């Protein structure tokens, strides 16, 4: 069982890296068009925060270098995505993006580091950072709901990229299976959610990929259903090492 869980964890690591890279095609289009169009920056800002928390977690906990390395890679990728939003977003949106980055990726992260270092002992500090990351994972795994609603209303999958949905499905399923193997039900909850939502997105993609989109959908609706990137369940990486 330990050997099986180890290999499932390795596969999960590979899929996590692919998930970080899955929006590359979207951002290439943004660069070519020099516009972010209706794509939303918040998921990438939150993913940057999540990667930062798990990198800190991996640094804090002995033997968790893999966690720090994978999420350190995520920090680099997500920072590039956020910078591209700051460059190519409409002028009226850039201030909003900058404020969100300052509040979440700088302010909240700094507060989490300072509070846990000053108020908590070593084990409690590690658990607190891990808990914050797990909660954020769960919240971000729920983010496709708005995109799914827009697909149904607009009959268009334009703002729900296939590969993002596909890797959400794979990532959630792999780590949910891993969680079952090691009987980690806290880990199972957000990844099971991600697996089910990824499956639902793939079903919608199959239904609407050749449908004629509605032309009169409002900009507000598109904004609600813009692309969402999902967090990597890095907590599963640390659980893997504990099982070894």
């Amino acid at each position: 069982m330990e050997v099986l869980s180890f290999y499932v964890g390795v596969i999960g690591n590979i899929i996590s890296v692919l998930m970080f890279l899955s929006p590359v095609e979207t951002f290439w289009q943004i660069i070519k068009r020099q516009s972010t169009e209706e794509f939303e920056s918040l998921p990438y800002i939150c993913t940057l925060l999540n990667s930062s928390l798990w990198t800190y977690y991996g640094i804090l906990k002995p033997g968790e270098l893999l966690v720090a390395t994978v999420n350190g890679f995520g920090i680099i990728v997500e920072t590039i995505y956020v910078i591209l939003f700051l460059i190519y977003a409409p002028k009226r949106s850039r201030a909003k993006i900058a404020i969100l980055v300052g509040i979440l990726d700088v302010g909240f992260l700094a507060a989490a580091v300072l509070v846990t270092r000053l108020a908590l002992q070593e084990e409690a500090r590690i658990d607190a950072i891990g808990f914050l990351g797990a909660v954020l994972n769960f919240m971000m795994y729920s983010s496709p709901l708005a995109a799914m609603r827009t697909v149904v209303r607009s009959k268009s999958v334009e703002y729900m990229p296939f590969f993002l949905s596909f890797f959400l499905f794979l990532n959630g399923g792999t780590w949910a299976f891993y969680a079952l193997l090691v009987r980690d039900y806290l880990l199972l909850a957000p990844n099971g959610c991600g697996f089910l939502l990824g499956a639902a997105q793939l079903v919608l993609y199959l239904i609407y990929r050749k449908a004629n989109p509605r032309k009169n959908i409002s900009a507000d609706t598109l904004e609600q259903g813009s692309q969402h990137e999902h967090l990597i369940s890095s907590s599963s990486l640390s659980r893997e090492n504990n099982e070894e």
Side-chain angles (χ1 to χ4, degrees), residues 46-151:
C46 290
T47 304
L48 177 56
L49 171 61
N50 187 73
S51 298
S52 301
L53 287 172
W54 284 116
T55 299
Y56 179 49
Y57 177 87
I59 293 173
L60 284 177
K61 193 163 187 176
E64 300 294 348
L65 180 61
L66 184 59
V67 176
T69 303
V70 169
N71 284 280
F73 174 78
I75 290 174
I76 296 172
V77 173
E78 298 303 323
T79 298
I80 293 173
Y81 294 158
V82 171
I83 290 173
L84 289 175
F85 266 101
L86 289 170
I87 294 173
Y88 293 112
K91 290 183 178 180
R92 66 181 184 276
S93 301
R94 292 176 190 172
K96 174 185 174 183
I97 295 172
I99 291 172
L100 286 173
V101 171
I103 293 174
L104 296 177
D105 295 327
V106 179
F108 183 86
L109 178 63
V113 172
L114 288 175
V115 170
T116 55
R117 291 197 69 86
L118 296 176
L120 299 175
Q121 299 299 318
E122 184 174 350
E123 287 299 324
R125 182 186 308 147
I126 293 172
D127 292 341
I129 294 296
F131 178 77
L132 286 174
V135 170
L136 196 54
N137 280 347
F138 191 87
M139 292 172 61
M140 289 300 294
Y141 266 138
S142 300
S143 65
L145 294 176
M148 294 167 66
R149 177 173 175 267
T150 299
V151 169

